[in-house]
Amino acid sequence: MKKIFLCFCSAAFLLSCNNEKTEPAAAPEKSTADLPYTASYSSSFTTDVSDADLKMVLTTYKDWADGNMSGLENTLSDSVEVDFSSGDQFAGTKADLMKLWSTYRDSLSSVTIDMHAWQKMYAADKKTGHIVVWYKEVDTYKNGKVDSAMYHDINRVKDGKIVWYSQYKRPLK
């Protein structure tokens, strides 16, 4: 009985060996669908953004929640553009942006962020990296007012610094 079992195991082992070479995966085919729109910025995204850039961007949210404005400032490019959820836009130096953000952050006694998801996106044709995040933020003002909202942000990263930031907000009731 032991010999039959040993022969059976040996045969199973030999049959499970595979010497066939596998072909590398083919590059994804370009879509040939007749789409109603052409992307004005890019439709050629990969996830080829470094984990260091991802960590840097996520740390900015932790710095904001903790009130660490100097940590947040260190992540910004010398000149930066911001599209605020209010529709306002900013294009200037990080020092000027930090004055705006510091004044607003100083009006808050606490910030809680529940990070729901993030995605690394690299626009190959533009050679730009983006970190897109989705999260819930609860702001408690020093006067006791509490404000909460769902956010969707896009952080464009170049040379390890944030160069553009765009925020979309849906208030919670």
Side-chain angles (χ1 to χ4, degrees):
M1 183 66 148
K2 287 182 184 179
K3 288 182 183 181
I4 294 173
F5 181 74
L6 183 59
C7 288
F8 178 79
C9 288
S10 297
F13 176 76
L14 290 174
L15 291 174
S16 69
C17 292
N18 184 357
N19 291 334
E20 293 178 24
K21 293 182 180 178
T22 58
E23 296 294 321
E29 291 182 26
K30 295 224 177 211
S31 175
T32 57
D34 185 20
L35 302 176
Y37 293 100
T38 301
S40 61
Y41 179 73
S42 180
S43 61
S44 178
F45 285 97
T46 69
T47 59
D48 193 22
V49 176
S50 74
D51 287 341
D53 284 348
L54 173 62
K55 181 179 180 180
M56 179 268 301
V57 167
L58 293 177
T59 300
T60 66
Y61 292 89
K62 180 75 170 134
D63 287 340
W64 176 257
D66 293 345
N68 180 4
M69 300 309 284
S70 62
L72 180 58
E73 183 177 14
N74 290 334
T75 65
L76 299 174
S77 176
D78 290 337
S79 61
V80 65
E81 295 179 45
V82 177
D83 295 329
F84 294 101
S85 61
S86 64
D88 293 334
Q89 294 181 318
F90 171 89
T93 66
K94 75 175 168 182
D96 288 339
L97 179 60
M98 290 309 300
K99 286 178 192 173
L100 290 172
W101 278 351
S102 293
T103 300
Y104 180 73
R105 182 59 180 90
D106 190 46
S107 71
L108 302 171
S109 61
S110 71
V111 174
T112 303
I113 293 177
D114 177 12
M115 190 64 63
H116 291 192
W118 58 82
Q119 177 67 46
K120 300 189 296 185
M121 298 178 67
Y122 181 76
D125 53 342
K126 300 291 185 180
K127 296 181 176 36
T128 56
H130 303 80
I131 307 295
V132 182
V133 298
W134 296 267
Y135 61 99
K136 176 183 176 183
E137 182 172 327
V138 179
D139 295 337
T140 303
Y141 291 83
K142 289 182 178 176
N143 67 8
K145 176 185 168 194
V146 177
D147 184 23
S148 61
M150 299 299 295
Y151 291 89
H152 167 125
D153 298 350
I154 305 168
N155 298 267
R156 184 176 299 151
V157 179
K158 183 176 181 184
D159 300 325
K161 299 286 184 177
I162 297 172
V163 296
W164 177 72
Y165 170 79
S166 185
Q167 183 177 71
Y168 305 89
K169 176 181 179 182
R170 181 177 55 88
L172 296 174
K173 296 184 182 212

